[in-house]
Amino acid sequence: MDIEYYETLEINRDADSGAIKKAYRKQALKYHPDRNQGDKEAEDKFKQVNEAYQVLSDPQKRATYD
């Protein structure tokens, strides 16, 4: 796997759905393209954060990932 989703969202493996959502919002704001215009690295990080959230917020996908 290319991305370590827990590291991307800066959370522990035992984080509950509330903690995952809070961490996602924090990271999404930090790397949002509107706040980092022209910053390719921030854009890539934003995509990683979204991907991590998509997997970790879905119980079935998270179970498969873990």
Side-chain angles (χ1 to χ4, degrees):
M1 253 174 247
D2 302 332
I3 303 169
E4 178 25 82
Y5 294 140
Y6 293 100
E7 284 181 22
T8 299
L9 293 180
E10 298 178 3
I11 55 174
N12 294 323
R13 288 193 166 278
D14 60 355
D16 64 10
S17 59
I20 292 169
K21 191 175 211 173
K22 185 177 178 182
Y24 164 72
R25 286 182 173 162
K26 180 182 173 190
Q27 295 299 321
L29 275 175
K30 183 176 178 182
Y31 295 111
H32 196 280
D34 289 346
R35 293 183 123 184
N36 300 283
Q37 292 183 342
D39 186 342
K40 181 77 173 124
E41 194 174 309
E43 183 181 328
D44 291 341
K45 188 75 171 162
F46 183 72
K47 289 176 184 174
Q48 291 175 358
V49 166
N50 277 315
E51 183 180 331
Y53 181 69
Q54 294 300 317
V55 172
L56 298 181
S57 65
D58 181 315
Q60 285 183 309
K61 290 180 183 176
R62 185 177 180 180
T64 302
Y65 173 72
D66 285 341

